[in-house]
Amino acid sequence: MLTGKHLVFVGGDARQLEVIAQVVDNDASATLVGFSDIHRDYTDTVYGDLTEEVLAKADALVLPIAGMENDGRVDTKFAAEPIMLTESHFAAMRPGAFVFTGIARSVLTEWCNSHSLQLVKLMELDEVAILNSIPTAEGAIAIAMEETDITLHGANTVVLGFGRCGQTLAHKLRAMGANVRVCARYASDLARVDELSLVPVPLKQIEEAVRDADIVFNTIPALVLNAGVLREMARDCVIIDIASKPGGTDFRYAERRGMRALLAPSLPGLVAPKTAGRIIARSLSRILAEESDGGHKEEDIWS
């Protein structure tokens, strides 16, 4: 429970609405900034402006998964204009207060360090990222089904990268009957791919892996599908790039060659915002509750 905790939510998308609902249900109170268009009432919650006085009372500032840009801009789906944070807002918060974000750019990190705030990058927590990979994989598969005229069953698919999203995506594609190759850099990942009865291919042999692919899913946030690789691929291959912007595909060359390549980051917020919001809320609540209760074990949140 979060009894007595006050959170300030600044901007976000549909995921934040579920986070707000969950923390309020856990007995926290909240101030919502940048939510003027949602027209929804939450218990013990007020809609407010972004002021130093509001942040001075906060036990935690909750930013969107996309975080804050280095110029202080925070985007919101529920107001006409983005919200602008300044260093004075962070200076107004009490030392030791939490700042939750999905990702943290350099200025946010610097301001939190300068004012002794506890910065939590939710997307770097395994408990969030692993569960978040499920709606990501489902969303990528849904796009593949919409953008192709073949079944995934029997299709030649390639997953680039074997991190959290790559592992979940490869597993689900295999369960649907696809032929799955996985390109990874590390020998340990390739061994795990082999153990799962998938086809391992070292990343340095990417051209060989994608040459006859029907669908390629990229999870690597680096330019792995460059012009040289794209030239070796079938023109009717569909590329679904779920890496963070700008992705890992040379989209200009793909378009020039007549290939279908889509950049699809942040899929959980689009395809399953309620589930994604609950994942975030559970970890956020655990961290705040641990501070109050002197430290629960991590697994307590599941009991």
Side-chain angles (χ1 to χ4, degrees):
M1 300 297 290
L2 301 178
T3 306
K5 296 291 186 183
H6 185 77
L7 285 66
V8 176
F9 288 83
V10 175
D13 56 23
R15 286 172 285 190
Q16 291 293 73
L17 302 184
E18 187 63 24
V19 179
I20 295 164
Q22 292 290 320
V23 299
V24 169
D25 195 47
N26 281 336
D27 205 27
S29 61
T31 298
L32 311 184
V33 180
F35 292 86
S36 57
D37 293 344
I38 65 171
H39 307 296
R40 177 175 172 181
D41 291 327
Y42 297 94
T43 303
D44 203 9
T45 297
V46 297
Y47 294 86
D49 296 322
L50 185 63
T51 66
E52 295 175 14
E53 291 73 21
V54 165
L55 288 170
K57 299 174 183 178
D59 294 295
L61 166 64
V62 184
L63 298 173
I65 290 299
M68 183 192 82
E69 300 292 339
N70 280 333
D71 62 0
R73 187 179 83 253
V74 176
D75 290 325
T76 177
K77 298 291 186 182
F78 307 110
E81 300 292 335
I83 304 153
M84 298 300 297
L85 283 163
T86 66
E87 186 173 2
S88 63
H89 291 119
F90 293 85
M93 298 179 69
R94 63 171 179 80
F98 285 88
V99 176
F100 291 95
T101 182
I103 60 174
R105 296 175 178 82
S106 59
V107 171
L108 177 61
T109 302
E110 177 186 337
W111 287 353
C112 288
N113 288 338
S114 296
H115 300 289
S116 302
L117 303 175
Q118 300 187 64
L119 178 63
V120 179
K121 293 173 273 190
L122 292 164
M123 294 312 299
E124 293 186 5
L125 302 178
D126 279 340
E127 66 191 81
V128 174
I130 291 172
L131 293 176
N132 208 52
S133 73
I134 299 170
T136 299
E138 290 186 2
I141 288 171
I143 293 172
M145 295 172 72
E146 292 173 356
E147 296 294 333
T148 59
D149 54 7
I150 60 174
T151 61
L152 284 174
H153 184 93
N156 291 328
T157 65
V158 178
V159 176
L160 304 179
F162 202 59
R164 296 138 169 163
C165 287
Q167 292 177 38
T168 302
L169 182 55
H171 171 74
K172 292 190 178 297
L173 288 168
R174 174 69 172 177
M176 297 181 72
N179 303 314
V180 184
R181 296 177 193 144
V182 178
C183 281
R185 177 176 287 113
Y186 300 111
S188 58
D189 287 337
L190 294 169
R192 179 62 69 184
V193 171
D194 191 26
E195 185 270 332
L196 293 172
S197 298
L198 308 172
V199 180
V201 182
L203 189 59
K204 63 184 178 182
Q205 297 175 19
I206 185 173
E207 292 93 343
E208 177 183 333
V210 301
R211 186 167 286 122
D212 64 346
D214 298 308
I215 311 166
V216 173
F217 299 87
N218 178 55
T219 72
I220 302 173
L223 186 58
V224 289
L225 290 173
N226 56 39
V229 175
L230 293 172
R231 190 170 55 244
E232 299 298 317
M233 297 169 64
R235 291 179 187 270
D236 59 354
C237 176
V238 173
I239 299 167
I240 301 168
D241 197 325
I242 61 175
S244 56
K245 291 181 180 181
T249 304
D250 186 337
F251 291 99
R252 182 201 64 81
Y253 184 77
E255 182 179 7
R256 177 189 178 100
R257 195 163 181 264
M259 301 177 70
R260 184 78 169 137
L262 302 99
L263 179 61
S266 303
L267 283 173
L270 297 174
V271 302
K274 181 170 285 190
T275 297
R278 287 175 178 173
I279 292 167
I280 295 165
R282 183 162 56 195
S283 294
L284 183 153
S285 297
R286 176 186 65 78
I287 292 167
L288 289 175
E290 283 180 353
E291 182 201 35
S292 297
D293 297 344
H296 287 306
K297 293 181 180 178
E298 183 174 344
E299 58 267 24
D300 285 353
I301 195 68
W302 298 96
S303 59

